[in-house]
Amino acid sequence: MKTLTLYFTRWVYLVGFLAILSLTSCDSDDDISRDFHIDNLTMDNYPKVDGSTSAEPLQVLIACRLLDVDYSWVYLSFWFNYPYHLMPSCDIKPDIGRFITERIHHFGTHSSYLNLIHKNADLIITARTASDEELHLADSLGINLVEIPIALDAFVFLANINNPVNSLSTKEIQDIYTGNITLWNEVGGTDTEIHPYQRNPNSGSQELMESLVMKDLTMLDLPDMIMMGMMGMINQIEYDREGLGYSVNYYTQNMVRSDSVKILAIDGVYPDNNTIKNRKYNYTTDVYVVIRGDLDKSSTAYKLFELLLTNSGQSVINESGYIPYQGFPPD
């Protein structure tokens, strides 16, 4: 019953979202920028947030804009999860910069859903909707989840830069991950064995792989090919010329930026801003803001939820490097 409520509630909120955007579409860029604020927001009452690893820079940028500090993309070669971080400036407002650095962290898609359901977070930004397992847990605790799309991303397939294959079809990917295709020369490459890497169960990438690509097909059971963490997949393919893997576009292009890994075209379409924005790329995906249905509407978390569904919220999403859900700003 809760699952049905989730989809009905999502539809109601989305209709409201579209209405808000249509009413504010004539605002100037300056007006939109000024409108991105929450009255009386401080470090003390800042919402408890979490989300997918790939959405962490967006969450940091939101905090920087709301708490009025500058930011920059910074390369941290020693960081395990990903090398490029969006970081607040600590020069002018060091206390706020430290607060954002210490408090705004994402623990991954599955963990963030668990934190939201168990009320350890009040708002999460995720690369997918709740899984059946997460919905079942929410149902068992009487929790209703409200999920609204706020940005566009893409589920992408990765190969080593030295692999001559630049494109695969959906059928070829399905055949590779069910074991029907085992050599790269069967898909236009060299006479070498394909190493089809997978992600760990419940991860955002694995849930997307199973729901978008494999559907009712059973993937190969290869425990040694399962990569823990998004960066683990990238690291493996950087050094394995015969490797094949998957991730999400924003993470790969903005947070990793590896010169040793390339994104493949799928079914003849390469995922770029244009093909994702126009949903010509088959595995274009939505990025969601998620709250509990019982969240106090006077809370800063609920106000942030509402703010992300406005043109000013979409402007900040665009600033982060994500493609806004409704294509703001217009061409």
Side-chain angles (χ1 to χ4, degrees):
M1 183 63 183
K2 294 291 183 184
T3 303
L4 294 176
T5 303
L6 164 63
Y7 292 115
F8 175 75
T9 307
R10 183 191 304 165
W11 179 83
V12 171
Y13 274 101
L14 185 56
V15 169
F17 172 31
L18 296 176
I20 290 170
L21 286 176
S22 66
L23 290 173
T24 60
S25 60
C26 295
D27 290 345
S28 70
D29 290 345
D30 287 344
D31 289 339
I32 290 168
S33 179
R34 283 194 300 269
D35 284 345
F36 193 78
H37 73 278
I38 295 174
D39 290 339
N40 302 315
L41 180 69
T42 67
M43 290 183 286
D44 291 334
N45 63 9
Y46 197 89
K48 294 185 295 182
V49 299
D50 201 344
S52 300
T53 301
S54 55
E56 183 169 302
L58 172 57
Q59 198 80 266
V60 172
L61 177 55
I62 289 168
C64 288
R65 284 288 174 252
L66 289 175
L67 297 174
D68 193 26
V69 294
D70 292 332
Y71 71 89
S72 61
W73 283 95
V74 178
Y75 178 73
L76 302 175
S77 60
F78 59 85
W79 203 265
F80 175 75
N81 289 329
Y82 50 93
Y84 284 91
H85 288 248
L86 195 150
M87 301 284 288
S89 171
C90 295
D91 295 337
I92 298 177
K93 299 179 180 179
D95 55 336
I96 295 178
R98 284 194 299 270
F99 169 81
I100 294 173
T101 302
E102 294 170 1
R103 282 280 305 276
I104 309 301
H105 292 296
H106 282 192
F107 292 95
T109 306
H110 181 58
S111 294
S112 69
Y113 268 107
L114 296 183
N115 284 335
L116 182 66
I117 292 167
H118 290 298
K119 301 188 177 182
N120 295 317
D122 291 323
L123 179 148
I124 63 175
I125 298 178
T126 66
R128 61 163 172 81
T129 58
S131 66
D132 290 342
E133 177 183 332
E134 291 151 1
L135 286 174
H136 178 73
L137 174 62
D139 287 353
S140 70
L141 297 174
I143 299 294
N144 174 37
L145 299 177
V146 179
E147 302 173 319
I148 304 296
I150 57 170
L152 296 178
D153 200 354
F155 184 63
V156 297
F157 285 86
L158 311 173
N160 184 278
I161 193 67
N162 294 313
N163 191 318
V165 173
N166 293 311
S167 180
L168 292 171
S169 70
T170 293
K171 181 64 165 57
E172 287 170 337
I173 293 169
Q174 291 172 337
D175 283 345
I176 289 169
Y177 277 94
T178 54
N180 294 322
I181 291 177
T182 60
L183 300 174
W184 279 110
N185 64 5
E186 297 177 75
V187 292
T190 57
D191 187 15
T192 52
E193 186 179 71
I194 299 172
H195 300 158
Y197 294 106
Q198 305 178 28
R199 280 297 313 283
N200 48 298
N202 284 321
S203 66
S205 297
Q206 191 62 22
E207 292 283 346
L208 288 172
M209 177 63 169
E210 293 174 358
S211 63
L212 293 178
V213 183
M214 301 307 292
K215 299 186 184 298
D216 58 347
L217 299 174
T218 301
M219 294 181 70
L220 290 166
D221 183 15
L222 300 172
D224 292 341
M225 304 297 286
I226 295 176
M227 299 293 103
M228 303 298 291
M230 298 179 79
M231 198 64 206
M233 179 76 81
I234 302 286
N235 286 338
Q236 195 68 28
I237 294 174
E238 283 182 322
Y239 296 103
D240 186 354
R241 188 176 182 274
E242 317 310 330
L244 176 66
Y246 40 84
S247 187
V248 291
N249 188 65
Y250 185 87
Y251 178 85
T252 305
Q253 299 280 46
N254 292 278
M255 301 166 67
V256 178
R257 311 183 195 184
S258 173
D259 293 331
S260 301
V261 173
K262 63 182 177 182
I263 294 175
L264 302 178
I266 302 300
D267 298 321
V269 179
Y270 184 82
D272 57 28
N273 279 6
N274 182 60
T275 59
I276 295 171
K277 179 179 177 179
N278 295 304
R279 295 184 183 269
K280 292 180 180 179
Y281 178 70
N282 282 346
Y283 299 127
T284 296
T285 59
D286 294 338
V287 178
Y288 296 86
V289 58
V290 191
I291 59 172
R292 294 183 305 277
D294 63 355
L295 184 63
D296 183 353
K297 290 182 171 55
S298 66
S299 67
T300 55
Y302 191 84
K303 291 175 182 177
L304 175 55
F305 169 75
E306 289 186 309
L307 188 58
L308 292 174
L309 309 184
T310 65
N311 266 5
S312 61
Q314 292 289 288
S315 178
V316 169
I317 287 166
N318 182 69
E319 186 179 344
S320 76
Y322 270 114
I323 300 172
Y325 190 70
Q326 291 299 314
F328 179 91
D331 294 332

